[in-house]
């Protein structure tokens, strides 16, 4: 057999192995958490909604995705399904996610006393880990779009948190196919973090 053909077969085998691993990991994450994405009410006993940060445009304007997350979390608060909001994201840039999120929540009727902020939630894993380790939260509703919820809930399970997911996909978003594809790799990354941490 020619050398180039052997190399081609080896590369194809490696590709198929990687694709198989990615598929298995994603199925594990999605199938293991999809039942936790549901409507919650006051009877479920959740004190906190963790709203995960996303892009903030110049001037502190929330991106469509982040605004939908905030609207979904504020609705949980106003309906009495949760008593407090934990806003978590990256507050290190010029237009900090958490500062803009807090301003939006207050403008929409949430008292400052019922808002906790975590400007060091630089990743989904860190946001959930810090909710438990820094803020002492054991039970929460995670608020983000469905494609992202599977991974967030998988991390929550691994950390021993009691969590439900609130789907904040209130609209369709530009660039969603790219986000869905990127999420396949992000699930694998956080699956590894959960496995080895």
């Amino acid at each position: 057999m020619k050398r180039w053909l052997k190399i081609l077969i080896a590369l194809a085998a490696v590709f198929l192995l990687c694709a198989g691993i990615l598929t298995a990991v994603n199925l594990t994450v999605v199938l293991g958490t999809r039942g936790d994405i549901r409507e919650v009410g006051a009877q479920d006993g959740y004190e906190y909604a963790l709203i995960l940060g996303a892009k903030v445009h110049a001037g502190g304007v929330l991106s469509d995705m982040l605004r939908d997350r905030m609207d979904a979390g504020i609705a949980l608060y106003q309906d009495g399904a949760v008593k407090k909001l934990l806003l978590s994201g990256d507050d290190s840039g010029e237009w900090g996610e958490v500062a803009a999120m807090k301003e939006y929540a207050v403008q929409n009727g949430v008292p400052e006393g019922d808002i906790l902020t975590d400007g060091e939630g630089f990743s989904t894993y860190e946001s959930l880990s810090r909710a438990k380790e820094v803020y002492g939260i054991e039970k929460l509703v995670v608020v983000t779009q469905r494609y992202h919820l599977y991974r967030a809930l998988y991390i929550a399970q691994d950390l021993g948190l009691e969590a439900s997911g609130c789907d904040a996909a209130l609209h369709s978003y530009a660039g969603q196919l790219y986000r869905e594809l990127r999420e396949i790799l992000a699930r694998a990354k956080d699956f590894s973090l959960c496995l080895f941490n």
Side-chain angles (χ1 to χ4, degrees), residues 54-68 70-71 96-97 99-105 108:
K55 184 172 183 167
V56 173
H57 301 295
V61 178
L62 306 186
S63 62
D64 290 343
M65 291 186 81
L66 184 53
R67 189 180 62 250
D68 283 354
M70 290 301 301
D71 288 343
E97 293 173 1
M101 291 163 75
K102 182 177 180 180
E103 183 178 341
Y104 187 86
N108 284 274

Side-chain angles (χ1 to χ4, degrees), residues 21-22 25-26 29 151 182-194:
I21 291 170
L22 274 177
V25 165
N26 276 267
V29 171
R151 175 164 56 104
R182 190 182 69 174
E183 188 65 14
I184 291 170
L185 297 175
R187 287 181 192 136
K189 173 189 68 90
D190 283 343
F191 180 89
S192 300
L193 271 178
C194 291

Side-chain angles (χ1 to χ4, degrees), residues 117-150:
T117 58
D118 179 11
E120 296 180 43
F122 303 120
S123 69
T124 305
Y125 191 95
E126 287 174 306
S127 290
L128 284 152
S129 176
R130 288 175 57 80
K132 181 176 182 178
E133 301 300 330
V134 177
Y135 296 91
I137 298 170
E138 297 288 339
K139 183 175 180 177
L140 48 73
V141 181
V142 182
V143 183
T144 186
Q145 282 71 23
R146 180 175 288 266
Y147 80 95
H148 184 203
L149 269 174
Y150 301 116

